[in-house]
Amino acid sequence: LESITMNGVQAIPTSAFKDYKKLTSASFNAATTIGESAFEGSGLTAITIPSTVKTVNKRAFANCTSATSVLVKTSYASYNSEVFDGLPTTAKAMCDDGAYYITNNFNGAAFANPASLTGKLYNASGYEVSTINASSYTITQVGYCALYNVKNVQKVYLPKTVTQIGGWAFASCTGLTTFKLAEGSAVTVGNNAFSHLPATEIQNSGCITKLGTEACIGSKITTFNCTGLKEIPESAFKNCESLSNVSGIGNITTIGNYAFYNTAENVSFLSFNSLTSIGDYAFALNKSQTGVTFNSKLTTIGKCAFQGCTAIGTVSFSNSLQPVTVGSDAFKECTKVVTLIIPALSTYCKFDFKNGYAHPLWDSYGAGVATVIKYSSSNITNLVIPGTITRVNNFCFCKNTNIKTVKLEENVKEIGFSTFNSAKALTTITLPSTLTKLEDYAISYSGNLTSITCDATTVPSASTITFDGITYTNVTLNVPADTKSKYSVATGWKNFSSKTIQTCAAPEISTLNGNVVFKTTTPNSFVHYDVEYAGSTNSNVGIDSKGASTGCNISPKLKITAYTYKADHANSPTVTKTITLNTPGLKGDVNLDGVVNIADVTEVVNKVLGK
């Protein structure tokens, strides 16, 4: 059998003409399906896929080694794996119209697309196709591997009707220098669709509503508009070393793993208004990133996210409104970070740094530069951790050269792993009576430390390396009276030369003329108080040499908690008192009980009656 015409045949069966070596010509103009291995190994010289075909199954034309051309007339057809496996590289892949050729789905990748195998696309007359202008067509998709590895197409223009570009559609199209989406279109883009693209721009990229994994990996694009995107997926712009302008990022919520790995983009994270998470290695090896100021909604930074970003000098979390989890090695090899700007302590002390290299200062400390932790524009010299915080998390204040004194107020219970590791300037630290635990390296390698005051009467748990790297003979440990013997045998504490200190007397809380008055028998001390009512407030008030405050107008709050503190003394026990304050000057409050009610009317009547 050398030639066959199959008029009216809609389905060509599996292996129907397999290994028919003498069959050089076959016509099947009504066929919709070509079965698996239907013409595999046959002697066909000119293969034509008619416009009626919708499905070409696995290896349908594989090993047709005599073929000199494949003419594709159909559109929106599905080609399964290895359809043209073994096709001679000299065979011409031809089409009636390039705009319809690219709508086919070559699901079997290179071996399904004849143009991918040969590297060139020709028209039906045998001339190379350099431009596919589909801007006036009504096609809705660009198929999977539509022009994968096709090297002679230089320009592609798509219409507004296109809503989907399949995976690998324009991957490795090394001649494609111009690519344009229609203004006003809304397009989803599949995995690797533009990978290794030589074009410097995907025109109207703001029309893209979804990007697939590795969508632009290794491409030469210099600019990209993300206006239509909600997330940037894994490796989307990995190794795009020319990418220097990414705009329209306000709606992005997620940046995937390796998304901007090894790019030249100097991203402004404040522009990521909606960003909540940054993936693993997302910006690693970005040599242009000079600083990062994170937005308020960010909660997660992945491992190695900024590894090797050697130009970063400042890292700012000043906008953070919730704790951030920072993955292992997130800032590893960021050796030029000299400034860390932190948010409110109530937020920052809950940050979860997964290891030392997750902390921005870890790898730059010791490089001959000052490493500073600050609020906004103010350096932190004397750090006070408020009692609203029960735990200071791992690594929070490590590797800095500016914090000289630390005071943890009452109610703080734990200090995490390496929290004050290598705090170079630290000289004194005061720990509250409520402290129960210090983890490994909590206060370590701080060579200028001279004094630790711990108010806890029950020795907080510590390990043999909690104070590692501290010169014990240079540090005085101040502890409450009657506890010295406990500290002298406790793990982690026993190497210090301890001395006892007095404990402040607890304050008495009373009211006078609408004011709160604190009294204590410890002269020249201070009382710290917290007030709870409809909201809360806290402050400090001085105690004179006679042991009394001058009074402070707090307004009618209901619950007051207070303790006495003084230098070189242990804090007093905390006391709490619930009161109702009179409010001087409240119009109609005749009996000065802080409210106006029937009792005030009764008071007026009694006064009039002389009672």
Side-chain angles (χ1 to χ4, degrees), residues 235-547:
S235 301
F237 300 101
K238 182 179 180 181
N239 293 331
C240 293
E241 297 183 39
S242 300
L243 181 64
S244 58
N245 182 13
V246 177
S247 61
I249 54 182
N251 294 323
I252 299 295
T253 60
T254 303
I255 298 176
N257 299 342
Y258 294 92
F260 291 97
Y261 179 92
N262 193 32
T263 69
E265 170 66 344
N266 188 3
V267 173
S268 170
F269 287 90
L270 283 179
S271 300
F272 283 98
N273 301 326
S274 305
L275 186 64
T276 60
S277 66
I278 299 173
D280 299 344
Y281 295 91
F283 293 90
L285 301 185
N286 183 325
K287 301 300 192 296
S288 299
Q289 192 71 45
T290 57
V292 287
T293 300
F294 295 109
N295 63 304
S296 61
K297 296 181 181 179
L298 185 71
T299 60
T300 305
I301 298 175
K303 69 179 181 181
C304 303
F306 295 91
Q307 182 177 352
C309 294
T310 53
I312 294 178
T314 299
V315 175
S316 177
F317 291 98
S318 60
N319 300 298
S320 296
L321 299 178
Q322 56 273 315
V324 178
T325 298
V326 186
S328 299
D329 301 339
F331 292 93
K332 188 174 183 180
E333 299 167 11
C334 294
T335 54
K336 292 186 179 179
V337 179
V338 295
T339 303
L340 170 63
I341 303 175
I342 65 174
L345 288 175
S346 57
T347 298
Y348 181 66
C349 288
K350 296 177 183 177
F351 271 40
D352 185 8
F353 296 103
K354 292 301 184 182
N355 69 358
Y357 292 111
H359 194 277
L361 299 182
W362 191 270
D363 239 359
S364 56
Y365 176 89
V369 295
T371 49
V372 177
I373 298 177
K374 61 197 303 187
Y375 304 119
S376 186
S377 59
S378 302
N379 284 357
I380 302 173
T381 302
N382 303 308
L383 176 65
V384 178
I385 307 294
T388 53
I389 296 167
T390 58
R391 173 182 166 85
V392 187
N393 260 357
N394 305 346
F395 303 103
C396 277
F397 299 98
C398 68
K399 302 282 185 174
N400 73 85
T401 61
N402 63 300
I403 297 176
K404 295 181 178 180
T405 68
V406 173
K407 177 180 174 61
L408 280 65
E409 294 188 339
E410 293 297 309
N411 201 43
V412 178
K413 295 178 174 61
E414 295 184 6
I415 301 176
F417 183 94
S418 287
T419 298
F420 296 100
N421 185 327
S422 301
K424 187 175 182 179
L426 184 62
T427 59
T428 63
I429 184 165
T430 302
L431 308 175
S433 64
T434 52
L435 192 69
T436 61
K437 182 180 182 181
L438 296 92
E439 295 183 4
D440 291 351
Y441 304 104
I443 305 170
S444 58
Y445 298 98
S446 299
N448 289 311
L449 188 65
T450 60
S451 174
I452 298 175
T453 298
C454 185
D455 295 342
T457 54
T458 300
V459 181
S461 66
S463 74
T464 57
I465 54 176
T466 292
F467 302 101
D468 207 40
I470 298 295
T471 305
Y472 293 99
T473 56
N474 293 342
V475 180
T476 299
L477 175 62
N478 302 307
V479 296
D482 302 326
T483 63
K484 181 176 180 179
S485 59
K486 299 177 184 178
Y487 281 87
S488 65
V489 296
T491 300
W493 300 93
K494 60 185 178 182
N495 293 324
F496 290 105
S497 297
S498 59
K499 69 175 184 179
T500 59
I501 55 176
Q502 294 182 349
T503 300
C504 293
E508 296 179 3
I509 305 172
S510 59
T511 61
L512 178 65
N513 296 328
N515 289 326
V516 174
V517 176
F518 300 97
K519 293 183 178 181
T520 176
T521 58
T522 304
N524 300 314
S525 60
F526 293 87
V527 171
H528 176 92
Y529 64 86
D530 294 278
V531 180
E532 296 181 18
Y533 184 56
S536 62
T537 183
N538 66 79
S539 189
N540 300 284
V541 63
I543 302 295
D544 61 25
S545 60
K546 297 180 180 179

